[in-house]
């Protein structure tokens, strides 16, 4: 099966009803009002206009991410803030994940597990990248929040705790039920305690220690740790197997393996096609128009980022850069963890590409997930020509 068909299969398996609806709405123009859903945005330029206007379109009103996550994370995280308070917190966090720091952190944390991954591939073993990514992404998030994990089992368990919380959300979810909030808090409150201890220790080699040095309060550090825990694991864990699949299915894997300078372009293009955040939500706070559709205070705006990005065509490694990484947001809410996510994905991808040529042994799509993903994606190193 070709790459684009496998991507469609992942989306249909994860969202068998919502995905066909959202793709069908892509044919209705830049924006369309849908009863029961809100104003649906399908166009990248319109989406950017909404994302850049934090006064009219906010993350802290009805139908927004704030309504979903504030009961779990508290009021002071970037996911659910706007205005002066958001700008002040964002300024203090600007230097948290600089590219250099993110690359150094990932290199230190992932050195041992990536060495084992490379050794497994080198001896011809079959490697399930889905299982491997749980360990690798879990290792990074453990270091970010300050958990002194004792090995791969701890990394995997920590990752799977976050996975269970995110799995409560679907593309249709407006708010969590009291029971879901209690279940999420049971996972996230201990994460906050871990972060608070790392914050109190003040070690600036840790992310929580850096937050303290940057002037954040303990409450803000706890909230940020919870947000990173929820958003910073599955994004990379789902992207890397899909990156390898897209490169393989489009005949580009060996090309990128032979030319490491193409890797960043491949990461951007795979991110566009897979769209780490397939839908972004905003709440309307003033009467306006969105791409020609009327919007009133209290309305919900669904930016179907997937439609915006896929309108620019199928996976193409030679496509000129465009969209300015819309899949990670825009303006004041552009993902602050982007440098860390890319540093992690880049380092893992380099290890995999070093073992090329790779062949896909088995793959299955995952059900019951928010981010479309493989349930299993097993690869092994194929013999090189002449061996």
């Amino acid at each position: 099966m070709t790459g684009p068909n496998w991507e469609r299969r992942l989306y249909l398996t994860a969202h068998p009803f919502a995905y066909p609806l959202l793709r069908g709405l892509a044919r209705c123009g830049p924006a369309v009002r849908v009863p029961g859903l809100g104003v649906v945005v399908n166009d990248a330029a319109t989406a950017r206009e909404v994302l850049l206007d934090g006064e009219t379109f906010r993350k802290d009103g009805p139908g927004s991410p704030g309504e979903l996550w504030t009961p779990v994370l508290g009021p002071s995280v970037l996911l659910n803030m706007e205005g002066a308070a958001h700008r002040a917190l964002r300024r203090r966090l600007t230097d948290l994940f600089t590219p250099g720091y993110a690359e150094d952190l990932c290199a230190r944390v992932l050195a041992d597990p990536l060495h084992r991954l490379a050794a497994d591939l080198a001896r011809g073993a079959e490697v399930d990248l889905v299982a491997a990514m749980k360990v690798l992404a879990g290792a990074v998030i453990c270091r970010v929040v300050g958990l002194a994990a004792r090995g791969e089992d701890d990394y995997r368990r920590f990752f799977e705790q976050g996975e269970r919380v995110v799995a409560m959300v679907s593309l249709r979810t407006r708010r969590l039920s009291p029971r879901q909030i209690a279940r999420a808090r049971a996972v996230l409150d201990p994460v906050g305690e871990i972060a608070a201890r790392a914050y109190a220790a003040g070690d600036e080699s840790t992310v929580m220690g850096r937050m303290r040095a940057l002037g954040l309060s303990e409450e803000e550090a706890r909230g940020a740790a919870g947000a990173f825990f929820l958003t910073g694991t599955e994004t990379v864990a789902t992207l890397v197997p899909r990156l390898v699949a897209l490169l393989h299915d489009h005949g580009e894997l060996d090309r990128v393996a032979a030319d490491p300078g193409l890797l960043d372009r491949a990461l951007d293009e795979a991110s566009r096609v897979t769209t780490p955040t397939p839908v972004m939500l905003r709440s309307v706070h003033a009467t306006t128009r969105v791409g020609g559709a009327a919007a009133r205070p209290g309305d919900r705006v669904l930016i179907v980022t997937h439609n915006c990005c896929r309108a620019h065509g199928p996976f193409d490694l030679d496509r000129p850069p465009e969209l300015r990484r819309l899949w990670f947001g825009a303006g004041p809410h552009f993902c602050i963890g982007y440098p860390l996510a890319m540093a992690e994905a880049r380092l893992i991808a380099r290890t995999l590409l070093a073992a090329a040529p790779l062949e896909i042994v088995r793959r299955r799509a995952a059900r019951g997930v928010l981010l479309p993903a493989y349930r299993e994606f097993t690869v092994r190193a194929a013999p090189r020509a002449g061996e």
Side-chain angles (χ1 to χ4, degrees):
M1 182 176 287
T2 62
N5 285 338
W6 261 105
E7 277 297 310
R8 178 175 170 79
R9 177 182 287 193
L10 296 184
Y11 267 96
L12 285 172
T13 304
H15 305 291
F17 303 108
Y19 183 67
L21 171 62
L22 293 179
R23 290 301 287 154
L25 290 172
R27 296 191 290 269
C28 296
V32 57
R33 174 178 287 279
V34 181
L37 280 180
V39 178
V40 177
V41 175
N42 302 303
D43 169 69
T46 306
R48 188 171 296 280
E49 290 176 7
V50 171
L51 294 172
L52 292 177
D53 184 355
E55 297 301 319
T56 306
F57 307 101
R58 300 172 64 97
K59 297 188 77 171
D60 57 357
S64 73
E67 187 174 30
L68 184 64
W69 293 118
T70 296
V72 175
L73 295 171
S76 299
V77 294
L78 294 176
L79 290 173
N80 57 4
M81 297 175 70
E82 291 290 358
H86 175 266
R87 289 192 294 272
L89 180 58
R90 179 87 187 195
R91 278 195 300 270
R92 281 179 286 167
L93 287 170
T94 298
D95 294 330
L96 183 62
F97 291 126
T98 62
Y101 176 78
E103 289 168 7
D104 179 67
L105 183 150
C106 290
R108 286 186 282 112
V109 173
L110 297 179
D112 288 343
L114 284 182
H115 177 76
R116 289 190 289 273
L117 175 62
D120 287 342
L121 290 169
R123 64 182 176 83
E126 295 184 358
V127 174
D128 180 3
L129 292 187
V130 174
M133 287 306 304
K134 290 184 178 184
V135 171
L136 296 165
V140 173
I141 201 63
C142 281
R143 180 63 60 90
V144 167
V145 304
L147 177 66
R150 292 182 294 275
E152 293 191 359
D153 287 344
D154 283 353
Y155 299 150
R156 188 179 298 106
R157 278 194 294 268
F158 203 57
F159 176 92
E160 289 173 349
Q161 286 179 334
E163 196 175 34
R164 284 193 290 272
V165 175
V166 175
M168 297 179 191
V169 180
S170 74
L171 293 180
R172 303 184 304 276
T173 305
R174 294 182 71 101
R175 62 184 66 87
L176 298 177
S177 69
R179 184 177 180 181
Q180 288 175 317
I181 291 170
R183 287 166 54 197
R185 292 294 297 268
V187 172
L188 290 167
D189 285 352
V191 172
E193 293 299 326
I194 293 165
R197 289 194 292 272
Y199 176 93
D203 181 356
E204 292 190 34
S205 69
T206 68
V207 173
M208 294 299 118
R210 282 168 62 84
M211 286 189 182
R212 180 173 178 173
L214 291 170
L216 276 77
S217 68
E218 180 181 309
E219 180 185 5
E220 289 169 333
R222 288 175 66 117
F228 294 148
F229 178 66
L230 289 179
T231 63
T233 51
E234 287 198 72
T235 298
V236 177
T238 59
L239 173 61
V240 171
R242 292 167 79 181
L243 165 70
V244 174
L246 284 165
L247 290 174
H248 174 277
D249 294 343
H250 288 269
E252 299 282 19
L253 197 147
D254 291 345
R255 178 185 171 194
V256 178
D259 184 357
L262 292 174
L263 178 55
D264 280 358
R265 188 193 304 177
L267 282 167
D268 276 348
E269 180 64 358
S271 297
R272 180 188 68 82
V273 170
T274 62
T275 326
T277 309
V279 172
M280 299 181 188
L281 303 176
R282 292 296 186 272
S283 176
V284 179
H285 279 241
T287 300
T288 186
R289 298 192 71 82
V290 181
R296 298 179 290 272
D299 282 349
R300 184 171 67 157
V301 176
L302 284 84
I303 300 171
V304 186
T305 328
H306 184 69
N307 286 349
C308 298
C309 293
R310 288 307 301 268
H312 290 251
F315 182 87
D316 182 356
L317 193 57
D318 296 314
R319 182 182 307 282
E322 53 191 341
L323 298 180
R324 289 173 284 178
R325 302 188 176 104
L326 179 66
W327 47 90
F328 276 104
H333 284 288
F334 186 83
C335 178
I336 200 164
Y338 166 78
L340 181 64
M342 288 299 99
E344 186 177 345
R346 188 183 299 115
L347 191 59
I348 298 167
R350 283 175 184 159
T351 300
L352 295 169
L353 291 170
L358 296 173
E359 58 185 21
I360 299 172
V361 180
R362 288 179 301 278
R363 52 176 152 180
R364 292 182 293 154
R367 300 183 184 276
V369 294
L370 176 61
L371 298 184
Y374 286 100
R375 178 178 178 84
E376 178 187 14
F377 189 81
T378 299
V379 301
R380 66 182 168 212
R384 290 183 169 88
E387 290 185 359

